[in-house]
Amino acid sequence: MRILVEEKGADGFSISEAARRAGVSSAAPYKHFNDRAEIVREVALAGIERMRQQMDDAAKGASGDALAPITALGLCYANFARAEPGVFRLMFGLTKGHERDSEMRERGDGCLAIVKREVRAAMPDDTPESEIERRSLMLHMFVHGHAFLEIDGKHELDLTDEQEAMIVADISRRIIRD
C-alpha cells in the first residue's frame, strides 16, 4: 500500500489495485478493515511509526556536541519526507477526524517526545518544562516547514547535504542557545 501511495498519492490509488498487487482478491482487504479510510489511516500510522523509529535512531546515533542529536533529528525528518513524500503528506493530511484520533495523536506525540528529550538534554538542568516545550515546538515548526518546502519544490535552493546540515545546525543552535 505504501508503494501505491508513493506512486499515485493518497487519493490516487485504489484498494483493488493494492489487492491485485498483493495477489489477493479485491474483497480481501475488507476482511481486515471496514473501509478505505481505515486502510489509509493504517498507512499513515505505520508511516508515523517508521519516522519515529528513524528519528530515535538518528538522535541516539549522533555524535559531536550537545546539539548534534537535534540537528540529526531535523535532517532525519526532512529525509523521511523526501524518501516517502506521499506517506508524509498522508500523515499530515488526514484531516477528517484526525484531531480526535487518539492513536494518531499518540504516535505523533511519540515523535515530538524524542525532540523534547533531546532539547531537554541540550538545555540547562533548571530549564522549565514550558521552555523545553516551546523550543521543541519551534524546532518542529522549522523542520516541518522545511520538509514540505522540499517535497513540494517551493524554493529554488539546491542545497548539498552539507549545506542543509549547516542550516539545520544553525537553526538548532539559535533556538536552543537563544
Side-chain angles (χ1 to χ4, degrees), residues 35-144:
D35 56 20
R36 184 182 195 281
E38 198 173 288
I39 295 169
V40 169
R41 177 182 173 276
E42 283 301 316
V43 173
L45 285 170
I48 294 169
E49 183 55 30
R50 277 192 309 284
M51 186 173 75
R52 187 204 60 76
Q53 186 61 59
Q54 290 174 21
M55 289 172 65
D56 195 39
D57 292 346
K60 288 178 178 174
S63 61
D65 65 13
L67 296 178
I70 295 170
T71 299
L73 285 172
L75 294 171
C76 177
Y77 196 93
N79 287 334
F80 183 91
R82 282 189 288 263
E84 297 189 41
V87 172
F88 189 79
R89 283 186 181 93
L90 181 65
M91 289 163 39
F92 295 102
L94 282 179
T95 55
K96 186 178 179 184
H98 187 240
E99 69 283 356
R100 293 181 307 274
D101 186 328
S102 61
E103 186 176 8
M104 190 78 71
R105 280 197 352 248
E106 184 179 306
R107 296 233 186 137
D109 289 348
C111 293
L112 189 56
I114 295 168
V115 177
K116 289 179 184 179
R117 178 188 77 204
E118 298 306 330
V119 169
R120 191 175 293 108
M123 300 289 293
D125 290 340
D126 61 346
T127 304
E129 190 62 25
S130 61
E131 191 61 19
I132 301 295
E133 290 184 20
R134 185 180 80 84
R135 291 177 194 233
S136 297
L137 182 59
M138 290 168 67
L139 288 164
H140 179 251
M141 292 170 78
F142 168 76
V143 298
H144 188 73

Side-chain angles (χ1 to χ4, degrees), residues 140-158:
H140 179 251
M141 292 170 78
F142 168 76
V143 298
H144 188 73
H146 170 60
F148 268 107
L149 288 171
E150 278 286 303
I151 65 175
D152 290 341
K154 297 292 184 183
H155 61 68
E156 297 179 11
L157 300 175
D158 188 19

